[in-house]
mmCIF file of all heavy atoms in Angstrom:
data_model
loop_
_atom_site.group_PDB
_atom_site.id
_atom_site.type_symbol
_atom_site.label_atom_id
_atom_site.label_comp_id
_atom_site.label_asym_id
_atom_site.label_seq_id
_atom_site.Cartn_x
_atom_site.Cartn_y
_atom_site.Cartn_z
ATOM 1 N N ALA T 225 0.835 -1.206 -0.015
ATOM 2 C CA ALA T 225 -0.009 0.000 0.003
ATOM 3 C C ALA T 225 0.881 1.247 -0.001
ATOM 4 O O ALA T 225 1.988 1.216 0.530
ATOM 5 C CB ALA T 225 -0.920 0.024 1.210
ATOM 6 N N ILE T 226 0.368 2.316 -0.588
ATOM 7 C CA ILE T 226 1.042 3.608 -0.574
ATOM 8 C C ILE T 226 0.048 4.700 -0.173
ATOM 9 O O ILE T 226 -1.165 4.541 -0.363
ATOM 10 C CB ILE T 226 1.713 3.964 -1.903
ATOM 11 C CG1 ILE T 226 0.697 3.938 -3.051
ATOM 12 C CG2 ILE T 226 2.867 3.040 -2.206
ATOM 13 C CD1 ILE T 226 1.223 4.471 -4.371
ATOM 14 N N ILE T 227 0.568 5.791 0.361
ATOM 15 C CA ILE T 227 -0.255 6.921 0.736
ATOM 16 C C ILE T 227 0.529 8.206 0.440
ATOM 17 O O ILE T 227 1.701 8.329 0.780
ATOM 18 C CB ILE T 227 -0.683 6.824 2.211
ATOM 19 C CG1 ILE T 227 -1.614 7.957 2.593
ATOM 20 C CG2 ILE T 227 0.542 6.772 3.152
ATOM 21 C CD1 ILE T 227 -2.315 7.747 3.916
ATOM 22 N N THR T 228 -0.138 9.154 -0.190
ATOM 23 C CA THR T 228 0.461 10.431 -0.489
ATOM 24 C C THR T 228 0.442 11.336 0.739
ATOM 25 O O THR T 228 -0.225 11.049 1.735
ATOM 26 C CB THR T 228 -0.222 11.146 -1.621
ATOM 27 O OG1 THR T 228 -1.529 11.555 -1.211
ATOM 28 C CG2 THR T 228 -0.342 10.244 -2.840
ATOM 29 N N ARG T 229 1.182 12.444 0.644
ATOM 30 C CA ARG T 229 1.176 13.391 1.750
ATOM 31 C C ARG T 229 -0.251 13.923 2.037
ATOM 32 O O ARG T 229 -0.579 14.181 3.208
ATOM 33 C CB ARG T 229 2.118 14.552 1.468
ATOM 34 C CG ARG T 229 2.262 15.533 2.627
ATOM 35 C CD ARG T 229 3.358 16.523 2.375
ATOM 36 N NE ARG T 229 3.484 17.452 3.490
ATOM 37 C CZ ARG T 229 4.164 17.198 4.613
ATOM 38 N NH1 ARG T 229 4.787 16.023 4.735
ATOM 39 N NH2 ARG T 229 4.224 18.058 5.607
ATOM 40 N N GLY T 230 -1.032 14.033 0.986
ATOM 41 C CA GLY T 230 -2.388 14.509 1.131
ATOM 42 C C GLY T 230 -3.380 13.462 1.574
ATOM 43 O O GLY T 230 -4.559 13.785 1.822
ATOM 44 N N GLY T 231 -2.973 12.206 1.648
ATOM 45 C CA GLY T 231 -3.838 11.160 2.168
ATOM 46 C C GLY T 231 -4.481 10.246 1.131
ATOM 47 O O GLY T 231 -5.235 9.360 1.515
ATOM 48 N N SER T 232 -4.158 10.446 -0.151
ATOM 49 C CA SER T 232 -4.666 9.511 -1.174
ATOM 50 C C SER T 232 -3.970 8.147 -1.034
ATOM 51 O O SER T 232 -2.774 8.093 -0.812
ATOM 52 C CB SER T 232 -4.465 10.065 -2.553
ATOM 53 O OG SER T 232 -5.172 11.267 -2.750
ATOM 54 N N THR T 233 -4.733 7.074 -1.206
ATOM 55 C CA THR T 233 -4.180 5.760 -0.989
ATOM 56 C C THR T 233 -4.335 4.839 -2.207
ATOM 57 O O THR T 233 -5.246 5.011 -3.008
ATOM 58 C CB THR T 233 -4.847 5.051 0.210
ATOM 59 O OG1 THR T 233 -6.249 4.958 -0.020
ATOM 60 C CG2 THR T 233 -4.605 5.885 1.490
ATOM 61 N N ASN T 234 -3.459 3.890 -2.298
ATOM 62 C CA ASN T 234 -3.553 2.794 -3.289
ATOM 63 C C ASN T 234 -3.143 1.506 -2.619
ATOM 64 O O ASN T 234 -2.199 1.499 -1.824
ATOM 65 C CB ASN T 234 -2.663 3.050 -4.498
ATOM 66 C CG ASN T 234 -3.240 4.138 -5.408
ATOM 67 O OD1 ASN T 234 -4.225 3.889 -6.087
ATOM 68 N ND2 ASN T 234 -2.595 5.286 -5.419
ATOM 69 N N TYR T 235 -3.857 0.432 -2.938
ATOM 70 C CA TYR T 235 -3.607 -0.860 -2.328
ATOM 71 C C TYR T 235 -3.406 -1.924 -3.381
ATOM 72 O O TYR T 235 -4.022 -1.911 -4.434
ATOM 73 C CB TYR T 235 -4.782 -1.283 -1.460
ATOM 74 C CG TYR T 235 -5.060 -0.391 -0.269
ATOM 75 C CD1 TYR T 235 -5.920 0.672 -0.364
ATOM 76 C CD2 TYR T 235 -4.435 -0.652 0.949
ATOM 77 C CE1 TYR T 235 -6.156 1.481 0.728
ATOM 78 C CE2 TYR T 235 -4.680 0.146 2.051
ATOM 79 C CZ TYR T 235 -5.557 1.212 1.940
ATOM 80 O OH TYR T 235 -5.797 2.007 3.032
ATOM 81 N N ALA T 236 -2.569 -2.879 -3.074
ATOM 82 C CA ALA T 236 -2.483 -4.096 -3.878
ATOM 83 C C ALA T 236 -3.797 -4.863 -3.749
ATOM 84 O O ALA T 236 -4.476 -4.834 -2.698
ATOM 85 C CB ALA T 236 -1.339 -4.976 -3.391
ATOM 86 N N ASP T 237 -4.202 -5.535 -4.827
ATOM 87 C CA ASP T 237 -5.475 -6.229 -4.829
ATOM 88 C C ASP T 237 -5.584 -7.256 -3.700
ATOM 89 O O ASP T 237 -6.669 -7.447 -3.165
ATOM 90 C CB ASP T 237 -5.692 -6.893 -6.180
ATOM 91 C CG ASP T 237 -6.041 -5.922 -7.283
ATOM 92 O OD1 ASP T 237 -6.426 -4.763 -6.980
ATOM 93 O OD2 ASP T 237 -5.891 -6.281 -8.472
ATOM 94 N N PHE T 238 -4.485 -7.891 -3.356
ATOM 95 C CA PHE T 238 -4.563 -8.952 -2.386
ATOM 96 C C PHE T 238 -4.755 -8.498 -0.966
ATOM 97 O O PHE T 238 -4.951 -9.343 -0.057
ATOM 98 C CB PHE T 238 -3.298 -9.863 -2.478
ATOM 99 C CG PHE T 238 -1.992 -9.132 -2.378
ATOM 100 C CD1 PHE T 238 -1.480 -8.805 -1.116
ATOM 101 C CD2 PHE T 238 -1.264 -8.826 -3.507
ATOM 102 C CE1 PHE T 238 -0.267 -8.117 -1.016
ATOM 103 C CE2 PHE T 238 -0.043 -8.155 -3.403
ATOM 104 C CZ PHE T 238 0.444 -7.831 -2.149
ATOM 105 N N VAL T 239 -4.760 -7.198 -0.706
ATOM 106 C CA VAL T 239 -5.009 -6.677 0.634
ATOM 107 C C VAL T 239 -6.215 -5.770 0.729
ATOM 108 O O VAL T 239 -6.584 -5.373 1.847
ATOM 109 C CB VAL T 239 -3.766 -5.945 1.219
ATOM 110 C CG1 VAL T 239 -2.571 -6.869 1.269
ATOM 111 C CG2 VAL T 239 -3.475 -4.666 0.455
ATOM 112 N N LYS T 240 -6.822 -5.455 -0.395
ATOM 113 C CA LYS T 240 -8.016 -4.571 -0.394
ATOM 114 C C LYS T 240 -9.118 -5.126 0.501
ATOM 115 O O LYS T 240 -9.456 -6.311 0.421
ATOM 116 C CB LYS T 240 -8.534 -4.343 -1.810
ATOM 117 C CG LYS T 240 -7.662 -3.424 -2.626
ATOM 118 C CD LYS T 240 -8.269 -3.182 -4.005
ATOM 119 C CE LYS T 240 -7.455 -2.196 -4.793
ATOM 120 N NZ LYS T 240 -8.017 -1.956 -6.152
ATOM 121 N N GLY T 241 -9.640 -4.283 1.352
ATOM 122 C CA GLY T 241 -10.681 -4.688 2.251
ATOM 123 C C GLY T 241 -10.179 -5.279 3.546
ATOM 124 O O GLY T 241 -10.985 -5.487 4.482
ATOM 125 N N ARG T 242 -8.878 -5.533 3.641
ATOM 126 C CA ARG T 242 -8.300 -6.116 4.838
ATOM 127 C C ARG T 242 -7.304 -5.189 5.534
ATOM 128 O O ARG T 242 -7.231 -5.167 6.766
ATOM 129 C CB ARG T 242 -7.608 -7.447 4.510
ATOM 130 C CG ARG T 242 -8.545 -8.515 3.945
ATOM 131 C CD ARG T 242 -7.879 -9.879 3.902
ATOM 132 N NE ARG T 242 -6.702 -9.852 3.001
ATOM 133 C CZ ARG T 242 -5.480 -10.225 3.380
ATOM 134 N NH1 ARG T 242 -5.269 -10.683 4.617
ATOM 135 N NH2 ARG T 242 -4.496 -10.189 2.506
ATOM 136 N N PHE T 243 -6.528 -4.485 4.728
ATOM 137 C CA PHE T 243 -5.469 -3.633 5.259
ATOM 138 C C PHE T 243 -5.844 -2.158 5.063
ATOM 139 O O PHE T 243 -6.517 -1.772 4.098
ATOM 140 C CB PHE T 243 -4.121 -3.845 4.549
ATOM 141 C CG PHE T 243 -3.513 -5.193 4.789
ATOM 142 C CD1 PHE T 243 -4.172 -6.208 5.482
ATOM 143 C CD2 PHE T 243 -2.225 -5.470 4.308
ATOM 144 C CE1 PHE T 243 -3.580 -7.452 5.712
ATOM 145 C CE2 PHE T 243 -1.616 -6.689 4.523
ATOM 146 C CZ PHE T 243 -2.287 -7.659 5.240
ATOM 147 N N THR T 244 -5.397 -1.316 5.982
ATOM 148 C CA THR T 244 -5.592 0.133 5.881
ATOM 149 C C THR T 244 -4.295 0.861 6.193
ATOM 150 O O THR T 244 -3.674 0.655 7.220
ATOM 151 C CB THR T 244 -6.682 0.625 6.855
ATOM 152 O OG1 THR T 244 -7.922 -0.063 6.612
ATOM 153 C CG2 THR T 244 -6.913 2.111 6.666
ATOM 154 N N ILE T 245 -3.889 1.708 5.241
ATOM 155 C CA ILE T 245 -2.684 2.512 5.453
ATOM 156 C C ILE T 245 -3.115 3.920 5.867
ATOM 157 O O ILE T 245 -4.110 4.441 5.414
ATOM 158 C CB ILE T 245 -1.807 2.570 4.176
ATOM 159 C CG1 ILE T 245 -0.470 3.238 4.478
ATOM 160 C CG2 ILE T 245 -2.534 3.276 3.026
ATOM 161 C CD1 ILE T 245 0.539 3.118 3.298
ATOM 162 N N SER T 246 -2.332 4.513 6.768
ATOM 163 C CA SER T 246 -2.603 5.867 7.260
ATOM 164 C C SER T 246 -1.293 6.521 7.619
ATOM 165 O O SER T 246 -0.241 5.879 7.656
ATOM 166 C CB SER T 246 -3.557 5.864 8.466
ATOM 167 O OG SER T 246 -2.994 5.137 9.534
ATOM 168 N N ARG T 247 -1.332 7.832 7.815
ATOM 169 C CA ARG T 247 -0.079 8.541 8.169
ATOM 170 C C ARG T 247 -0.410 9.724 9.084
ATOM 171 O O ARG T 247 -1.514 10.232 9.128
ATOM 172 C CB ARG T 247 0.642 9.020 6.913
ATOM 173 C CG ARG T 247 -0.073 10.085 6.100
ATOM 174 C CD ARG T 247 0.628 10.290 4.762
ATOM 175 N NE ARG T 247 1.928 10.949 4.893
ATOM 176 C CZ ARG T 247 2.805 11.090 3.907
ATOM 177 N NH1 ARG T 247 2.551 10.566 2.734
ATOM 178 N NH2 ARG T 247 3.965 11.720 4.125
ATOM 179 N N ASP T 248 0.628 10.143 9.788
ATOM 180 C CA ASP T 248 0.596 11.302 10.648
ATOM 181 C C ASP T 248 1.751 12.174 10.237
ATOM 182 O O ASP T 248 2.911 11.894 10.631
ATOM 183 C CB ASP T 248 0.659 10.918 12.113
ATOM 184 C CG ASP T 248 0.480 12.081 13.052
ATOM 185 O OD1 ASP T 248 0.720 13.242 12.647
ATOM 186 O OD2 ASP T 248 0.095 11.849 14.211
ATOM 187 N N ASN T 249 1.514 13.208 9.464
ATOM 188 C CA ASN T 249 2.575 14.024 8.951
ATOM 189 C C ASN T 249 3.334 14.772 10.037
ATOM 190 O O ASN T 249 4.554 15.027 9.914
ATOM 191 C CB ASN T 249 2.021 15.036 7.929
ATOM 192 C CG ASN T 249 1.565 14.357 6.658
ATOM 193 O OD1 ASN T 249 1.992 13.258 6.306
ATOM 194 N ND2 ASN T 249 0.653 15.015 5.949
ATOM 195 N N ALA T 250 2.660 15.128 11.117
ATOM 196 C CA ALA T 250 3.289 15.835 12.209
ATOM 197 C C ALA T 250 4.344 14.957 12.913
ATOM 198 O O ALA T 250 5.303 15.452 13.449
ATOM 199 C CB ALA T 250 2.265 16.311 13.230
ATOM 200 N N LYS T 251 4.126 13.667 12.829
ATOM 201 C CA LYS T 251 5.055 12.718 13.480
ATOM 202 C C LYS T 251 5.968 12.021 12.459
ATOM 203 O O LYS T 251 6.782 11.168 12.836
ATOM 204 C CB LYS T 251 4.283 11.623 14.216
ATOM 205 C CG LYS T 251 3.449 12.166 15.398
ATOM 206 C CD LYS T 251 2.764 11.015 16.102
ATOM 207 C CE LYS T 251 1.945 11.536 17.283
ATOM 208 N NZ LYS T 251 1.237 10.448 17.989
ATOM 209 N N ASN T 252 5.848 12.369 11.189
ATOM 210 C CA ASN T 252 6.626 11.697 10.132
ATOM 211 C C ASN T 252 6.460 10.194 10.186
ATOM 212 O O ASN T 252 7.426 9.451 10.090
ATOM 213 C CB ASN T 252 8.121 12.087 10.231
ATOM 214 C CG ASN T 252 8.487 13.223 9.307
ATOM 215 O OD1 ASN T 252 7.645 13.976 8.856
ATOM 216 N ND2 ASN T 252 9.775 13.288 8.990
ATOM 217 N N SER T 253 5.228 9.755 10.401
ATOM 218 C CA SER T 253 4.967 8.319 10.597
ATOM 219 C C SER T 253 3.911 7.820 9.633
ATOM 220 O O SER T 253 3.030 8.551 9.168
ATOM 221 C CB SER T 253 4.515 8.077 12.022
ATOM 222 O OG SER T 253 5.530 8.416 12.950
ATOM 223 N N VAL T 254 3.989 6.532 9.364
ATOM 224 C CA VAL T 254 3.023 5.842 8.541
ATOM 225 C C VAL T 254 2.660 4.530 9.250
ATOM 226 O O VAL T 254 3.512 3.939 9.920
ATOM 227 C CB VAL T 254 3.532 5.587 7.109
ATOM 228 C CG1 VAL T 254 4.755 4.665 7.114
ATOM 229 C CG2 VAL T 254 2.447 5.056 6.216
ATOM 230 N N TYR T 255 1.432 4.070 9.071
ATOM 231 C CA TYR T 255 0.912 2.926 9.753
ATOM 232 C C TYR T 255 0.230 1.974 8.797
ATOM 233 O O TYR T 255 -0.250 2.370 7.732
ATOM 234 C CB TYR T 255 -0.081 3.335 10.834
ATOM 235 C CG TYR T 255 0.406 4.423 11.746
ATOM 236 C CD1 TYR T 255 0.140 5.774 11.440
ATOM 237 C CD2 TYR T 255 1.199 4.162 12.846
ATOM 238 C CE1 TYR T 255 0.606 6.768 12.246
ATOM 239 C CE2 TYR T 255 1.667 5.171 13.667
ATOM 240 C CZ TYR T 255 1.388 6.491 13.368
ATOM 241 O OH TYR T 255 1.854 7.483 14.158
ATOM 242 N N LEU T 256 0.193 0.717 9.162
ATOM 243 C CA LEU T 256 -0.539 -0.259 8.365
ATOM 244 C C LEU T 256 -1.335 -1.152 9.326
ATOM 245 O O LEU T 256 -0.741 -1.937 10.077
ATOM 246 C CB LEU T 256 0.412 -1.131 7.549
ATOM 247 C CG LEU T 256 -0.255 -2.129 6.594
ATOM 248 C CD1 LEU T 256 -0.950 -1.382 5.452
ATOM 249 C CD2 LEU T 256 0.762 -3.106 6.023
ATOM 250 N N GLN T 257 -2.652 -0.990 9.311
ATOM 251 C CA GLN T 257 -3.530 -1.858 10.069
ATOM 252 C C GLN T 257 -3.870 -3.068 9.253
ATOM 253 O O GLN T 257 -4.410 -2.938 8.150
ATOM 254 C CB GLN T 257 -4.835 -1.107 10.455
ATOM 255 C CG GLN T 257 -5.822 -1.953 11.236
ATOM 256 C CD GLN T 257 -5.337 -2.336 12.595
ATOM 257 O OE1 GLN T 257 -4.788 -1.522 13.313
ATOM 258 N NE2 GLN T 257 -5.478 -3.602 12.933
ATOM 259 N N MET T 258 -3.534 -4.238 9.740
ATOM 260 C CA MET T 258 -3.731 -5.494 8.990
ATOM 261 C C MET T 258 -4.760 -6.335 9.737
ATOM 262 O O MET T 258 -4.514 -6.768 10.871
ATOM 263 C CB MET T 258 -2.411 -6.234 8.837
ATOM 264 C CG MET T 258 -1.302 -5.422 8.168
ATOM 265 S SD MET T 258 0.169 -6.419 7.884
ATOM 266 C CE MET T 258 0.683 -6.712 9.577
ATOM 267 N N ASN T 259 -5.876 -6.604 9.080
ATOM 268 C CA ASN T 259 -6.937 -7.421 9.631
ATOM 269 C C ASN T 259 -7.115 -8.665 8.770
ATOM 270 O O ASN T 259 -6.692 -8.721 7.638
ATOM 271 C CB ASN T 259 -8.263 -6.665 9.708
ATOM 272 C CG ASN T 259 -8.160 -5.443 10.607
ATOM 273 O OD1 ASN T 259 -7.504 -5.424 11.614
ATOM 274 N ND2 ASN T 259 -8.877 -4.350 10.205
ATOM 275 N N SER T 260 -7.814 -9.650 9.338
ATOM 276 C CA SER T 260 -8.134 -10.884 8.597
ATOM 277 C C SER T 260 -6.882 -11.469 7.964
ATOM 278 O O SER T 260 -6.887 -11.860 6.797
ATOM 279 C CB SER T 260 -9.205 -10.641 7.569
ATOM 280 O OG SER T 260 -10.382 -10.123 8.154
#
């Protein structure tokens, strides 16, 4: 998965609906929530 500075996201087909990418620009951090 990728996420732009503005928050737009793209996911590989094999994780769509299961994983969520997010970021916190103030912390220079990115996260990946992986479910199922």
Side-chain angles (χ1 to χ4, degrees):
I226 56 172
I227 184 168
T228 69
R229 184 172 181 82
S232 297
T233 59
N234 285 290
Y235 296 91
D237 287 342
F238 55 81
V239 302
K240 285 183 177 179
R242 299 190 298 126
F243 293 7
T244 302
I245 188 170
S246 60
R247 67 190 289 170
D248 185 338
N249 292 335
K251 296 181 179 179
N252 263 22
S253 297
V254 63
Y255 310 93
L256 185 69
Q257 178 66 46
M258 304 185 294
N259 299 323
S260 302

